[in-house]
Amino acid sequence: MSSAIYPGSFDPITYGHIDILRRAKKLFSRLLIAIVANPNKAPLFSVSERVGITKETLAEVKICGVEVISYDGLLIECAKVNGVDAIVRGLRANSDFDYEFQMALTNRDLDSEIETVFFMTAGKYSFLSSSIVKEVKHYGGEVSSFVPKTVEDALARKFESLE
Ligand code: ADP
């Protein structure tokens, strides 16, 4: 069986990410979450906080056997160093497509042995993103249908510390 890396900002992890993870786990015998240290958008949580929250969340939702690592620099190098066969990404609305298309083609150019595999979002999570969750929580809204308790608590602590 093959192995895959699921890269992203995970700032923070949501039920949308978790849905992709559960489905990818059925196809790949080894799965790693790779959290990018310095995403394009300034993250709310530091990389070590994101790694910690993600690990705690996996325990909360009872997903075992998924490694959580962080990386800086080129994703394809991280994929090679970890000896995986594939990169997992999720697709939501049309707006994801251009960026994902460009990234998948660039990564294939850099290493044609590593395939990018896309999972279509679940209907109920198609509008869910880490940014939306942060915005809703920031303004005091209810986020329990978007993220597990671990994440909800981490968001509450973070916004409290920023006040
Ligand atoms: P990035 O900054 O690399 O996009 P994210 O953490 O926002 O990092 O997303 C990581 C991956 O998870 C991306 O492929 C994204 O499309 C996917 N993803 C995020 N939320 C959802 C969702 N609700 N449904 C499906 N895929 C999702």
Side-chain angles (χ1 to χ4, degrees):
M1 268 282 264
S2 50
S3 55
I5 195 165
Y6 180 23
S9 313
F10 298 93
D11 184 44
I13 187 167
T14 70
Y15 282 129
H17 292 118
I18 291 167
D19 175 60
I20 301 291
L21 261 180
R22 288 194 197 281
R23 290 155 61 197
K25 258 200 104 201
K26 292 184 192 159
L27 293 189
F28 298 101
S29 55
R30 180 170 165 245
L31 192 59
L32 282 93
I33 292 182
I35 302 186
V36 61
N38 294 302
N40 295 335
K41 5 173 196 187
L44 175 66
F45 293 101
S46 71
V47 66
S48 58
E49 286 172 328
R50 283 178 279 143
V51 168
I53 294 167
T54 303
K55 284 183 178 170
E56 220 182 293
T57 299
L58 293 186
E60 182 189 337
V61 301
K62 299 187 171 46
I63 294 181
C64 351
V66 174
E67 298 163 56
V68 182
I69 59 168
S70 62
Y71 76 99
D72 215 350
L74 277 183
L75 165 63
I76 205 79
E77 291 305 325
C78 175
K80 269 196 253 186
V81 166
N82 285 284
V84 297
D85 307 295
I87 295 168
V88 163
R89 295 286 289 176
L91 280 179
R92 282 160 294 184
N94 259 351
S95 50
D96 280 342
F97 184 79
D98 284 349
Y99 175 70
E100 296 294 343
F101 182 72
Q102 206 176 10
M103 198 164 92
L105 293 196
T106 306
N107 283 331
R108 193 184 318 142
D109 224 46
L110 295 173
D111 189 331
S112 59
E113 294 298 308
I114 300 178
E115 282 293 341
T116 303
V117 177
F118 293 100
F119 286 79
M120 198 58 71
T121 185
K124 62 179 170 177
Y125 300 133
S126 59
F127 294 100
L128 179 52
S129 67
S130 302
S131 316
I132 288 287
V133 173
K134 286 181 279 191
E135 198 169 324
V136 171
K137 185 72 185 172
H138 182 57
Y139 292 108
E142 179 57 52
V143 293
S144 60
S145 56
F146 304 148
V147 294
K149 181 90 169 55
T150 302
V151 179
E152 217 181 321
D153 293 348
L155 282 165
R157 282 195 303 273
K158 176 61 82 177
F159 286 127
E160 226 175 80
S161 76
L162 294 178
E163 270 170 16

